Amino acid sequence: EYPNVLYTISNETNESPVWSAHWARHLQSRARERDTGVEITEMWDPWDLSDPMHRATFDHPELYSYVDISQNNHQVGQDHWDLAQRALSRHVADPPRPANSVKIYGGERHGGGTEEGTRKLWRNIFGGLASSRFHRLSNPLNPSGIGLNPLAQRQLGSARMFTDSMNVFRAVPRLDLLSDREPDEAYAMADEGSEYAVYFPDGGSVTLDLSEASGPMVPRWLEIMSGEWSPGSTLQGGERVSLSPPGSGPWAVLIQRSDQANP
C-alpha cells in the first residue's frame, strides 16, 4: 500500500542466498498482483565487498533493484573508499543501480572511532552512494555509531548544505583528477567542465585538474564542523590548480563556473 518502502530481506546475514531469492521473488509476485513496483535488496554480513556472498545481489539485478554495502563501513581510511569504488564499478555500474549505506560504523570503540565515522559519511557522498546514515547509539559500552547526536547533526547539516549547492546527481567520483595527494588526504567528484568538489578529511594540499573547464571558476569553502561557507580566490579553467583548505580539520570545497556559482 505504501510506495516509499525499501525492502531488505535480512540483516547482516550469512544464510543461503536461496532463502533471500525465495523472498525476493515472493515480494515481486505480490507487487505484480497489486500492479505496482517493489524495491528489494539483501544485506550480507561479510565486511569485504569482494567476498563471494555479495555476488548474490551484485549479479542478480532481476531480483535486487538496489544494493546495500553498509558492511563496507567496517573498513577505514583509503580502503573504505577503494573497496566501495571497486565493487560499484565492477558489479553495480551495468545495469546501474542505487547503492545504499545505511550503517556507518564509527563509535567510541567501534568502526575506527567517531572521527573516522564522520569521514565515512563524506566518502560515501563523494563516492556516489545513494544514501548514507550514521549507525545507532546502541550499546553504551561499545556504541556502533553516533546516531543522531550533536556531532552527527553538525555533519548532516553541512552535508545537506553541500548537496543543496551542487548537483550531486550529475557528478561522479573523480579521484583521478587529483594529484600530489597522499592516501586518504582528499577525495573528488565532478560534473567535469561545470562543477568540481573536493573533500579534505583533515587539511592538506592537492592539485586539481581543471583542464576540461574554461573561463573563471569560483570556489567556495565549507568548514564542515561550523557549517559556514567562505569564498576562495577565483580559479581559471583549463589549468591544474593547487587547493589547500583555509584551516585544519574537515573541509569541502565546491568549484563552479562563474555563471552558475551561488553568492
Side-chain angles (χ1 to χ4, degrees):
E1 298 177 9
Y2 305 100
N4 60 317
V5 176
L6 305 181
Y7 291 87
T8 304
I9 304 299
S10 313
N11 177 60
E12 300 172 11
T13 186
N14 288 288
E15 301 305 325
S16 168
V18 174
W19 164 270
S20 305
H22 166 81
W23 287 109
R25 294 189 182 99
H26 174 76
L27 285 167
Q28 289 176 339
S29 175
R30 292 297 298 273
R32 285 193 296 270
E33 291 173 4
R34 292 178 176 241
D35 193 28
T36 189
V38 62
E39 311 300 334
I40 308 169
T41 195
E42 179 61 288
M43 183 188 294
W44 305 103
D45 190 42
W47 297 3
D48 185 348
L49 295 179
S50 66
D51 188 286
M53 186 165 279
H54 288 285
R55 298 295 294 270
T57 46
F58 290 167
D59 293 353
H60 291 282
E62 77 283 2
L63 291 177
Y64 305 107
S65 57
Y66 72 105
V67 300
D68 185 283
I69 60 171
S70 295
Q71 293 304 87
N72 186 61
N73 288 313
H74 285 287
Q75 309 294 339
V76 299
Q78 186 70 45
D79 286 343
H80 176 253
W81 171 275
D82 289 344
L83 293 169
Q85 293 304 305
R86 188 177 306 146
L88 297 182
S89 63
R90 292 180 179 178
H91 304 300
V92 188
D94 186 19
R97 285 175 288 167
N100 285 9
S101 180
V102 297
K103 294 182 181 179
I104 295 180
Y105 302 104
E108 291 293 342
R109 292 185 293 274
H110 188 73
T114 56
E115 183 176 71
E116 172 61 23
T118 62
R119 295 176 179 181
K120 293 174 187 178
L121 172 77
W122 290 86
R123 291 193 204 102
N124 287 346
I125 293 171
F126 273 65
L129 272 66
S131 71
S132 195
R133 165 191 170 269
F134 293 117
H135 201 24
R136 65 183 184 272
L137 280 162
S138 51
N139 182 349
L141 298 179
N142 187 23
S144 301
I146 61 176
L148 199 57
N149 72 7
L151 174 60
Q153 292 178 45
R154 287 197 298 272
Q155 294 286 326
L156 293 171
S158 290
R160 179 62 69 191
M161 290 172 63
F162 201 85
T163 58
D164 283 348
S165 298
M166 180 182 191
N167 190 343
V168 295
F169 302 105
R170 288 184 59 88
V172 294
R174 291 298 304 270
L175 203 60
D176 60 299
L177 294 177
L178 299 181
S179 56
D180 303 316
R181 171 190 177 275
E182 298 296 326
D184 198 36
E185 183 179 16
Y187 298 89
M189 62 177 171
D191 177 9
E192 200 169 10
S194 178
E195 294 185 296
Y196 300 77
V198 182
Y199 162 61
F200 293 85
D202 187 12
S205 179
V206 297
T207 300
L208 174 65
D209 185 356
L210 295 178
S211 60
E212 293 301 314
S214 61
M217 303 290 290
V218 179
R220 287 192 297 152
W221 289 92
L222 178 63
E223 186 177 15
I224 291 170
M225 292 304 294
S226 68
E228 295 181 354
W229 289 103
S230 59
S233 300
T234 300
L235 307 170
Q236 285 299 317
E239 300 178 355
R240 297 163 62 86
V241 299
S242 179
L243 294 175
S244 184
S248 59
W251 290 78
V253 61
L254 173 58
I255 302 169
Q256 298 170 307
R257 292 197 319 260
S258 58
D259 61 347
Q260 66 181 137
N262 294 314

